[in-house]
Amino acid sequence: EVAVRHSGINLTDGRVRGGREYNYTAGVNWYLNPNTRIALNYTYADIHHDLYNDDLHILGTRFIVEF
């Protein structure tokens, strides 16, 4: 299974300067059987804030077992 996601948040409102962030995620899921799954995700995060303005590259994996 292949998955793609885009999300964003803006935390700036009036005098609160929380910044904003946009995430782009691509992932694959491998179902070993109906109760077991292995997931691999790559996320690119674009962060804009007064104190920090940079990009993050995140690689995450999960091993899920459902009972």
Side-chain angles (χ1 to χ4, degrees):
E1 179 179 77
V2 176
V4 177
R5 177 182 69 198
H6 171 265
S7 62
I9 188 168
N10 186 346
L11 299 173
T12 301
D13 185 22
R15 295 181 0 166
V16 177
R17 298 182 334 211
R20 66 184 192 273
E21 176 182 354
Y22 300 102
N23 293 323
Y24 305 92
T25 302
V28 293
N29 295 314
W30 180 32
Y31 293 87
L32 300 171
N33 59 48
N35 297 331
T36 309
R37 173 172 54 124
I38 297 174
L40 178 68
N41 291 329
Y42 167 75
T43 302
Y44 167 75
D46 186 18
I47 301 170
H48 299 279
H49 189 274
D50 293 345
L51 302 175
Y52 183 80
N53 190 18
D54 206 355
D55 303 331
L56 294 176
H57 301 273
I58 304 160
L59 184 63
T61 186
R62 291 173 292 190
F63 182 75
I64 299 107
V65 178
E66 296 179 7
F67 294 91

